Amino acid sequence: MPSFMVIRFREILNYRKDGTQFWTDLSISPTRNGRGALVGFVGILADLTERKCAEATRIQAESSLSSIVQHMPGFLFRRVRKPDGAIQFTFFSPSFARLIGRPEGFMLTGAALWQHIHPEDVEKVRRGIDVSAQDLSPLVVDFRVISEGMERWFRSYSSPQQGAGGDVIWEGVGIDVTPEKVGEIRLNYLAYHDKLTGLANRVLLAEQLGLAIEGMRKRFVSIELSTLRLVNFSEINETLGPTEGDAALRSVAARLGELAALHRDSVAARLGSAEFAMLRVGTAVGTDAEAFAVRMMRSLSQPISVGSGALMIESCVGMATLAPGKLGDLPAEEVAVELMKRAAIALSTAHKSGQGTHRLYDNELDHRTGHRMVLRHSLRQAIDQEQFQLHYQPLVDLQSGRIVSAEALIRWQHPELGLLRPDLFIALAEESGLIGPLGEWVMQTAMRQMVAWDSEGLVAPRIALNISSVQVKTPDS
């Protein structure tokens, strides 16, 4: 008896009269009579339009998702933590290879990933995974991946779920945050470093000084803070221009950086336009502070090549030291502020002595500086309130006994400090720009005295006045 197979035509695309499409599934089976003879065929037509539409939608969604995953600025991953603590990465989307500079189709196994994570970040990633596994909390972690000589920052987001056999499974996404991290690192660097020279700035110096002071409570070491000023550096900018001046500052910074590199726990910093600092911590820094200051000044006094010529830069240094056991219970922040103030006082004293000098802070320096500060702040008030006096030192003709002239000598009757000699306040008046008003007061007072003597019938002698060189150089004086 001949056999007849079932004929089926699946997924036939049909068109209606109006031109719209629909899909069908056609099955045709032969029919036989009682004697087994073929008498015809029976067909079944099923409408597949709804299913085909759903399938097309699914395919399009998968294609879109694949495209998104392939071109996203990140990757998908699957991570598993075994009950014994072993961590495996069982899946990475293809985009991960592109992100780390590997060819398309490169497969990175979980074991190999640990070799590519930056050594400084491995422990952070492992610790974060362990904590997330313990309390099933979401995990967000930043880490660096090194591949083909390049370094990229990634931030992974994942939530854990309990798997079979005690496994903990994370499925998540990693995003390339390299531009953000590079910018963040740059901003952090600028916040703690001088932009021109690359040395530590005042903020970082204060932070390192505070850490050093805290460390003194645990280690038997001393701290030395030196502040250094370039003498007459403004002349370089004025004569050669700011470009050459900046080049000179970078050379100075490089030499200080080299000196810092030779001493463990040392920090070189730039505090201002032409002012630098050196922080040293160690057992011997309290005894060789002056020798080190001389070494710094000698290093900077060596010729510096700038443009087509060479510059000779002189400096002065002020130092303050702190020996172990001298902290007491004071907070580190207060001690740091005091040490910086002492170094500044020593530098100010050294600068007044001229280039190539250095001074180590002591209590006498502090007393003199505090005394000068009081005088400086009360000088203007003293002029306004006429707290000054003129004493006249006569010049007498010994034969006739007649006064032929007199020298007017100024004194300051300070309400708290008593009668002060001119050597204690004339320099302050010159520095603060008050020598002009003070000199004018001296001349007017001396002339009024001469008029008073004349009105009393006395022969007024010639009076000699002391004029400051600052007054002579000032056109309006």
Side-chain angles (χ1 to χ4, degrees):
M1 176 184 301
S3 62
F4 297 94
M5 62 182 297
V6 176
I7 303 175
R8 307 186 67 182
F9 299 94
R10 290 188 176 277
E11 301 181 359
I12 301 174
L13 179 60
N14 305 276
Y15 290 89
R16 299 184 179 93
K17 292 182 178 181
D18 60 3
T20 58
Q21 299 177 347
F22 66 98
W23 288 86
T24 58
D25 180 17
L26 176 62
S27 298
I28 301 177
S29 301
T31 59
R32 297 177 177 84
N33 57 20
R35 297 187 299 273
L38 178 65
V39 294
F41 294 89
V42 175
I44 300 174
L45 188 65
D47 189 350
L48 299 180
T49 303
E50 184 176 345
R51 194 184 77 185
K52 291 294 291 186
C53 288
E55 184 178 327
T57 301
R58 178 183 58 79
I59 293 174
Q60 183 178 5
E62 290 177 353
S63 176
S64 299
L65 180 60
S66 176
S67 178
I68 292 172
V69 170
Q70 185 64 31
H71 297 94
M72 67 182 296
F75 58 93
L76 302 179
F77 67 90
R78 189 172 189 267
R79 178 198 306 125
V80 178
R81 183 181 185 274
K82 294 296 183 178
D84 61 359
I87 301 170
Q88 301 174 356
F89 291 87
T90 59
F91 170 77
F92 286 99
S93 60
S95 58
F96 187 68
R98 170 177 53 81
L99 291 170
I100 63 173
R102 291 304 186 95
E104 185 177 353
F106 171 77
M107 297 299 294
L108 182 64
T109 63
L113 177 65
W114 290 112
Q115 300 174 6
H116 286 283
I117 293 180
H118 196 288
E120 295 179 3
D121 298 337
V122 169
E123 181 59 29
K124 176 177 64 175
V125 174
R126 289 187 180 276
R127 187 168 57 251
I129 292 173
D130 290 341
V131 171
S132 177
Q134 289 173 7
D135 54 16
L136 296 181
S137 60
L139 174 59
V140 180
V141 61
D142 292 357
F143 60 94
R144 287 163 288 178
V145 170
I146 301 174
S147 178
E148 300 296 312
M150 61 183 291
E151 181 179 296
R152 307 293 296 179
W153 276 94
F154 293 99
R155 178 174 298 144
S156 68
Y157 301 84
S158 58
S159 294
Q161 57 183 345
Q162 200 71 51
D167 290 352
V168 179
I169 302 170
W170 293 261
E171 290 181 341
V173 59
I175 304 296
D176 185 353
V177 292
T178 302
E180 173 189 334
K181 281 292 185 178
V182 170
E184 179 182 313
I185 293 170
R186 177 61 177 167
L187 287 176
N188 186 67
Y189 178 85
L190 293 176
Y192 290 97
H193 293 81
D194 177 61
K195 184 177 180 180
L196 175 65
T197 64
L199 294 182
N201 60 13
R202 189 180 295 271
V203 175
L204 181 55
L205 177 66
E207 183 177 293
Q208 293 297 312
L209 180 56
L211 292 175
I213 293 171
E214 286 290 353
M216 287 184 66
R217 304 185 192 275
K218 303 175 183 178
R219 299 189 297 160
F220 196 79
V221 294
S222 298
I223 294 176
E224 173 203 319
L225 179 63
S226 301
T227 50
L228 179 146
R229 184 178 299 163
L230 307 183
V231 179
N232 298 326
F233 184 79
S234 58
E235 295 178 359
I236 296 177
N237 283 330
E238 293 170 359
T239 56
L240 300 180
T243 300
E244 303 296 346
D246 288 349
L249 288 174
R250 284 191 289 268
S251 296
V252 169
R255 294 184 182 184
L256 292 177
E258 291 172 358
L259 286 174
L262 296 176
H263 297 267
R264 183 182 176 185
D265 296 330
S266 296
V267 178
R270 185 186 180 204
L271 304 182
S273 176
E275 192 167 316
F276 296 82
M278 181 75 74
L279 170 64
R280 295 198 303 152
V281 180
T283 56
V285 297
T287 59
D288 70 343
E290 296 192 59
F292 186 74
V294 172
R295 185 177 180 183
M296 282 195 295
M297 291 188 293
R298 286 178 178 173
S299 175
L300 299 186
S301 65
Q302 300 301 312
I304 293 177
S305 298
V306 176
S308 58
L311 294 175
M312 305 292 290
I313 295 181
E314 297 295 337
S315 58
C316 53
V317 178
M319 302 152 290
T321 61
L322 184 63
K326 301 295 184 180
L327 287 178
D329 296 327
L330 290 175
E333 295 80 3
E334 291 185 19
V335 178
V337 170
E338 177 63 22
L339 197 63
M340 294 184 78
K341 186 195 83 170
R342 293 182 178 186
I345 290 173
L347 176 61
S348 178
T349 305
H351 188 257
K352 288 181 175 64
S353 301
Q355 62 189 32
T357 58
H358 62 276
R359 291 288 184 274
L360 181 62
Y361 171 88
D362 58 31
N363 290 332
E364 180 60 27
L365 277 183
D366 199 356
H367 173 74
R368 292 199 299 267
T369 301
H371 188 76
R372 284 171 59 87
M373 184 178 298
V374 171
L375 295 182
R376 184 190 299 275
H377 286 290
S378 58
L379 191 57
R380 166 64 72 179
Q381 184 180 15
I383 296 175
D384 295 338
Q385 296 180 358
E386 296 189 358
Q387 296 176 4
F388 297 96
Q389 302 173 359
L390 282 186
H391 293 188
Y392 298 94
Q393 180 172 301
L395 180 64
V396 180
D397 185 338
L398 295 179
Q399 292 183 350
S400 62
R402 186 172 60 89
I403 297 175
V404 295
S405 66
E407 180 182 3
L409 302 176
I410 188 171
R411 298 291 186 269
W412 182 359
Q413 186 62 51
H414 195 281
E416 298 175 4
L417 302 177
L419 193 64
L420 303 179
R421 305 184 312 272
D423 60 302
L424 297 177
F425 60 85
I426 291 298
L428 289 176
E430 292 176 338
E431 293 173 8
S432 57
L434 296 175
I435 191 64
L438 185 59
E440 184 178 350
W441 179 88
V442 170
M443 287 187 285
Q444 290 178 355
T445 302
M447 287 187 288
R448 283 196 298 266
Q449 183 62 65
M450 292 182 69
V451 172
W453 283 334
D454 184 67
S455 64
E456 294 175 5
L458 301 175
V459 178
R462 291 175 298 175
I463 295 180
L465 302 177
N466 295 306
I467 305 298
S468 168
S469 60
V470 176
Q471 286 180 272
V472 176
K473 296 176 182 178
T474 304
D476 296 335
S477 297

